[in-house]
Amino acid sequence: MTRVAIIEDDLPTSNQLAGWIAAARPGIQVDQWFNRDDAEAAIARERYDLVVLDIELGRERHAGVAIINAINKRHATPVLVVSAMPAAIYRSIMKALDAWDYLQKTTFEEADFIDTFLEILRAARDSKPAAAPASELAMDPLRQRTPTWRGQRINLPLTAQRILAALFERRGQVVSYEDLFEVVKSGRNRDNIRKHVSTIRDAFREIDPAFECIENIPMRGFRWTDQA
């Protein structure tokens, strides 16, 4: 059974969201939590398929930030933020915290919420992370989550993530400089690609000093090879 948590301190709003979900997808189990303590206890206890979350809970203006961090430490459950905080400011903040999407209260209708909710639920189910045979590297095909190496997050800028994805998707094959030019938005030259690859290697070696999965193929490009 699909399980969803709504974390919202305003009872009418919580009930409205729960009602919308029940009408759109009968059979989904919806748990409603109204404060940070109960929500964090539930997250530690249960495995949810999706969390709908307000940022401000009671007197805690940024309780939702702490809850997202708690979610990411455990299951990396998809989070849909529904908040009165201005989207122009908080959408980028929430995305940086790995929230999947952000809806600002009073600016959306039931159909907008349901469309977003169902799309996240569908994408989360369909996007099983691709992994190396030893399950060492895990990447989210939707690029909503940062990649992990042996269970630890790899700190990479977005362009480096795109290059890593291109190498990993074609692991065992040479990915040419020309192919890699297609995944960068600027600096389409070999020196720039080499700098990005160096950044990737350094990020991996912060976690694993023995990392040697990215091979330099002289004059051609790079290749991902799984470590023995």
Side-chain angles (χ1 to χ4, degrees):
M1 177 183 292
T2 300
R3 300 193 64 182
V4 172
I6 297 176
I7 305 171
E8 165 63 64
D9 62 336
D10 181 70
L11 180 59
T13 301
S14 179
N15 286 340
Q16 182 181 57
L17 296 175
W20 288 351
I21 292 170
R25 287 288 300 273
I28 289 182
Q29 179 175 330
V30 179
D31 294 343
Q32 294 170 254
W33 309 106
F34 302 94
N35 59 68
R36 175 181 169 183
D37 289 343
D38 288 348
E40 289 186 338
I43 288 164
R45 185 177 63 248
E46 308 291 350
R47 183 69 179 263
Y48 289 109
D49 296 286
L50 193 151
V51 172
V52 179
L53 172 67
D54 192 4
I55 298 173
E56 186 173 5
L57 300 174
R59 296 182 178 179
E60 291 191 76
R61 185 172 178 80
H62 294 107
V65 173
I67 292 172
I68 289 178
N69 287 330
I71 291 170
N72 288 339
K73 287 178 181 178
R74 293 183 176 275
H75 307 303
T77 303
V79 175
L80 169 58
V81 179
V82 178
S83 173
M85 303 291 196
I89 297 173
Y90 280 87
R91 176 174 282 113
S92 60
I93 296 173
M94 293 301 106
K95 292 291 284 183
L97 292 171
D98 283 341
W100 281 51
D101 211 335
Y102 187 100
L103 294 176
Q104 184 177 337
K105 291 177 181 177
T106 74
T107 67
F108 64 88
E109 303 292 336
E110 177 180 355
D112 299 319
F113 172 81
I114 289 301
D115 286 348
T116 304
F117 175 88
L118 293 178
E119 178 60 29
I120 293 173
L121 200 61
R122 182 165 49 249
R125 287 176 172 175
D126 293 345
S127 63
K128 300 294 184 181
S135 298
E136 294 184 313
L137 178 63
M139 300 195 68
D140 177 6
L142 298 180
R143 315 284 165 79
Q144 296 280 354
R145 312 279 177 186
T146 56
T148 62
W149 175 251
R150 296 178 176 174
Q152 299 186 61
R153 290 190 175 197
I154 308 164
N155 184 22
L156 286 174
L158 185 57
T159 298
Q161 288 188 45
R162 293 192 185 105
I163 290 174
L164 174 61
L167 295 173
F168 187 65
E169 286 166 3
R170 295 171 57 183
R171 51 192 180 276
Q173 305 176 40
V174 177
V175 182
S176 70
Y177 284 104
E178 289 71 22
D179 289 337
L180 293 174
F181 291 161
E182 297 300 317
V183 302
V184 299
K185 292 185 177 181
S186 62
R188 293 182 174 180
N189 58 73
R190 295 193 175 201
D191 284 343
N192 193 46
I193 296 296
R194 284 192 285 265
K195 288 177 183 177
H196 285 303
V197 171
S198 178
T199 296
I200 295 169
R201 286 172 171 152
D202 289 345
F204 274 92
R205 286 168 182 164
E206 288 181 6
I207 298 170
D208 178 10
F211 175 82
E212 293 290 346
C213 285
I214 299 177
E215 293 183 344
N216 178 29
I217 309 301
M219 305 299 293
R220 295 177 61 194
F222 297 91
R223 176 172 57 202
W224 176 281
T225 58
D226 295 316
Q227 289 178 303

